[in-house]
Amino acid sequence: MVIEIPELFEPTEVREIRAALEAAPWTDGRATAGHQAARVKDNEQLALDLPLARELSDRVLARLSQTPLFIAAALPARVLPPRFSRYDGRGQYGAHVDNAIFPVPGTGEHLRSDVSATLFLSDPADYDGGELVIEDMFGTHSAKPAAGHLIVYPGSSLHRVMPVTRGVRYAAFFWVQSFVASAERRRLLLDLDGAIQSVAGDHPEHAAVDTLTQVYHNLLRQWSQT
């Protein structure tokens, strides 16, 4: 299940974030990759302990908590603080699967990566290449959305970032431990939630609204892991 969430940040906000990233110091992105992923990773990242990285990460987390479609699609139990990447000069990230478990900085705890997410921070016209290509049970998807848009996809998927042959591609990326680990079940719940919203919008007093809502929450109760 690949979901595009438009305008998580508006264009003026994106320009402000990108200006901060353009002035930031960058480090080799392979330092944070797993053993296999490091072999195919060629990009730069902000150091996790950089004050700017923490500031921007908190800003993204705050916005996610106010975004109904993200909450409905990911059903987030925990979100790993977002990280920031930079690709240029044919930078790329070859086909890989994200680590299943990530340490949560400063807590001694760990997070299971049920959901992966990429927030695009460069306008598509500003760079060539750089598509996020995702292969999952639903097929192959290529994403290069407008700056400020978020792509949400299964953490279990094989995915890659195509080489950037012109310009610079900035992005934020992070992982989510969902209340529902199964991508198929999250898809069903998202479809059901959308149907409830549609019926409630057209016929708010219809008895089906209560019945569908009951089914949604009973499925969530049955499938959730807390």
Side-chain angles (χ1 to χ4, degrees):
M1 175 177 67
V2 177
I3 303 294
E4 181 173 339
I5 300 175
E7 291 193 346
L8 186 72
F9 288 95
E10 297 178 354
T12 55
E13 297 176 299
V14 173
R15 286 194 291 271
E16 179 185 345
I17 293 171
R18 194 166 58 240
L21 294 176
E22 289 170 352
W26 294 86
T27 60
D28 191 334
R30 287 173 292 189
T32 60
H35 174 69
Q36 288 297 112
R39 298 172 58 250
V40 295
K41 187 175 185 180
D42 183 10
N43 70 359
E44 296 177 304
Q45 291 180 202
L46 290 188
L48 298 179
D49 59 354
L50 193 71
L52 175 63
R54 293 197 296 267
E55 175 188 334
L56 294 179
S57 177
D58 289 344
R59 186 170 180 178
V60 175
L61 289 173
R63 185 60 52 86
L64 292 172
S65 71
Q66 301 167 1
T67 305
L69 181 54
F70 168 74
I71 294 170
L75 297 171
R78 304 179 71 185
V79 181
L80 196 69
R83 304 173 183 188
F84 296 86
S85 63
R86 180 182 186 275
Y87 292 80
D88 70 350
R90 304 199 68 83
Q92 62 182 305
Y93 199 162
H96 65 284
V97 174
D98 292 331
N99 291 346
I101 304 294
F102 283 92
V104 181
T107 67
E109 300 176 350
H110 291 77
L111 173 148
R112 187 184 64 243
S113 59
D114 299 319
V115 178
S116 298
T118 299
L119 170 62
F120 285 73
L121 294 170
S122 292
D123 294 312
D126 290 343
Y127 63 102
D128 292 336
E131 296 87 356
L132 173 63
V133 179
I134 302 159
E135 300 176 23
D136 64 8
M137 66 189 70
F138 302 105
T140 300
H141 316 267
S142 180
K144 188 178 177 180
H149 290 215
L150 179 71
I151 301 295
V152 175
Y153 51 100
S156 58
S157 64
L158 187 70
H159 54 278
R160 61 191 184 275
V161 176
M162 300 300 290
V164 173
T165 58
R166 179 187 65 85
V168 181
R169 176 194 190 269
Y170 291 101
F173 60 98
F174 57 93
W175 297 275
V176 179
Q177 180 169 319
S178 177
F179 282 113
V180 176
S182 165
E184 299 99 317
R185 290 176 175 179
R186 289 196 305 274
R187 174 84 248 187
L188 288 172
L189 288 168
L190 179 63
D191 289 345
L192 180 55
D193 181 67
I196 293 170
Q197 299 304 322
S198 179
V199 173
D202 294 337
H203 307 285
E205 303 301 325
H206 199 292
V209 174
D210 288 338
T211 301
L212 289 169
T213 301
Q214 180 186 28
V215 171
Y216 176 91
H217 285 286
N218 283 339
L219 286 174
L220 182 58
R221 184 176 293 109
Q222 179 177 346
W223 291 343
S224 65
Q225 301 175 350
T226 60

